[in-house]
Amino acid sequence: METVHAATVTAVEQAGPRMVRIRLRLDEPGWSSTGRPDEFVHVEVGALTDDPDGHRSRHYTVSAVTADGFELEAFLHGDGPGATWARAAAPGARTRISDPKAYYGPPADSGVRVMAGDLTALPAIARALAEAGPDEEFRVIVEVPSLDDARDLPTAAVAQVDWVVGGNGIGASVLKDALSGLAATTDLLEPDARSYVWVACESVHSRRIRQLLRREFALPLTHYRIVGYWHADLDRAMRVWEAATEEQRAEYASLWREDRPDEENWLEIEPLLQRMGY
Ligand SMILES: Cc1cc2nc3c(=O)[nH]c(=O)nc-3n(C[C@H](O)[C@H](O)[C@H](O)COP(=O)(O)OP(=O)(O)OC[C@H]3O[C@@H](n4cnc5c(N)ncnc54)[C@H](O)[C@@H]3O)c2cc1C
């Protein structure tokens, strides 16, 4: 974790049947929001092992910025350190968080925002809608374990939200099919539609969706951002990373460049991951 900021839990409430909303107050000034709706922080949750990205903390989206800190919403998926921390969170609990980073970045010439993801993506999607103006248009697909997880997503923008059931470590993911369905029934995923597409979900599924957007829909690299938010089999992901050679690790680091679109980096990272056996 880079810069760390001490924080205290000040409130906890249910955000849905399987999600808890946690409000954090920062002890000191110095943490500032990027202003982007999918910004996320590393939260120290008491994890004993690194995740494959090398963090002993877990990633959570800043679902709302408050006067003295921010809120996050955690999916209580099981007994991972993050979910366990969130389940036990109570006012007064202490943690440490990082500066925020973000991926969502529609280019100036982009039109409709197509946002899709599972419960872990819902905080970012809800924030994007909440902060959008009336001149923006959204088409949203949220994959939930059950329609009980659907909720109102207030927005001033023009928005259509579809809730689909699947994925989330509970059932087979239907997100890729839902995006194919969107492509079949609208022109939103045509290369010249200039939509901006943002997808966040399980890592293996995110890579399949990336291939769909790149190979079948031929979207411009600048007009989509696909993010793997979690690993269905974290142990396997860890084993692949631990077995990587020094050369592979160095190659991975060199491919991730800040001077080109993230999805251009992914063009070269995907074949490397496949060579690594992931
Ligand atoms: C940029 C970014 C933003 C994120 N924002 C959020 C957010 O706002 N809210 C949120 O809840 N999550 C969010 N996530 C996802 C969250 O970081 C992961 O789900 C994380 O793995 C949870 O940590 P853990 O310690 O509970 O489980 P881990 O120890 O990381 O994983 C252990 C096992 O738990 C299972 N598992 C992990 N995550 C999930 C899941 N989401 N669904 C089903 N099974 C799972 C898998 O079987 C995995 O092998 C975000 C991730 C990223 C990269």
Side-chain angles (χ1 to χ4, degrees):
M1 201 153 79
E2 313 83 72
T3 316
V4 288
H5 305 266
T8 305
V9 174
T10 57
V12 180
E13 63 180 12
Q14 287 299 125
R18 284 163 253 258
M19 289 192 93
V20 67
R21 182 176 297 120
I22 299 172
R23 181 176 282 220
L24 291 153
R25 184 186 61 230
L26 294 153
D27 287 9
E28 310 269 350
W31 183 93
S32 57
S33 167
T34 65
R36 289 157 70 185
D38 70 339
E39 69 180 341
F40 62 95
V41 288
H42 304 142
V43 181
E44 287 189 2
V45 294
L48 297 178
T49 55
D50 289 348
D51 71 10
D53 297 333
H55 299 297
R56 287 183 181 235
S57 49
R58 292 294 185 263
H59 301 77
Y60 288 98
T61 302
V62 174
S63 55
V65 178
T66 61
D68 58 4
F70 62 86
E71 292 177 352
L72 60 83
E73 294 175 12
F75 171 27
L76 306 176
H77 64 84
D79 59 3
T84 301
W85 172 83
R87 197 174 281 112
R94 306 273 295 149
T95 185
R96 299 197 309 162
I97 57 110
S98 69
D99 286 327
K101 287 186 195 158
Y103 299 122
Y104 181 88
D109 72 340
S110 51
V112 175
R113 283 84 166 94
V114 177
M115 298 189 81
D118 59 19
L119 273 185
T120 63
L122 183 52
I125 291 173
R127 182 172 162 189
L129 286 168
E131 295 181 353
D135 53 336
E136 285 187 83
E137 188 174 341
F138 286 78
R139 186 70 189 253
V140 171
I141 301 168
V142 189
E143 182 173 58
V144 284
S146 146
L147 289 180
D148 295 343
D149 297 285
R151 57 159 126 141
D152 284 341
L153 297 176
T155 183
V158 176
Q160 178 175 333
V161 181
D162 295 322
W163 301 88
V164 297
V165 174
N168 292 287
I170 294 167
S173 177
V174 297
L175 265 185
K176 185 166 171 268
D177 289 346
L179 285 163
S180 294
L182 189 64
T185 53
T186 71
D187 62 2
L188 288 174
L189 299 175
E190 299 283 334
D192 53 5
R194 312 308 282 180
S195 301
Y196 179 72
V197 183
W198 178 97
V199 181
C201 59
E202 197 277 329
S203 175
V204 170
H205 291 300
S206 74
R207 289 164 61 201
R208 291 187 190 138
I209 289 171
R210 175 175 291 110
Q211 301 303 331
L212 180 77
L213 266 50
R214 185 165 71 82
R215 291 195 185 143
E216 290 189 36
F217 304 161
L219 297 188
L221 292 170
T222 46
H223 281 62
Y224 64 98
R225 185 66 174 96
I226 314 299
V227 194
Y229 263 20
W230 57 281
H231 296 274
D233 190 345
L234 181 63
D235 290 342
R236 179 168 179 276
M238 296 287 293
R239 283 197 300 277
V240 168
W241 187 246
E242 280 159 10
T245 63
E246 283 306 316
E247 290 74 22
Q248 286 171 328
R249 287 167 196 247
E251 189 180 348
Y252 184 93
S254 72
L255 293 179
W256 194 260
R257 285 176 28 198
E258 300 294 338
D259 61 342
R260 57 184 184 180
D262 290 349
E263 290 296 338
E264 204 173 318
N265 292 331
W266 268 102
L267 284 182
E268 295 169 26
I269 288 173
E270 178 60 37
L272 170 64
L273 290 185
Q274 290 180 13
R275 271 187 278 124
M276 287 164 65
Y278 193 65

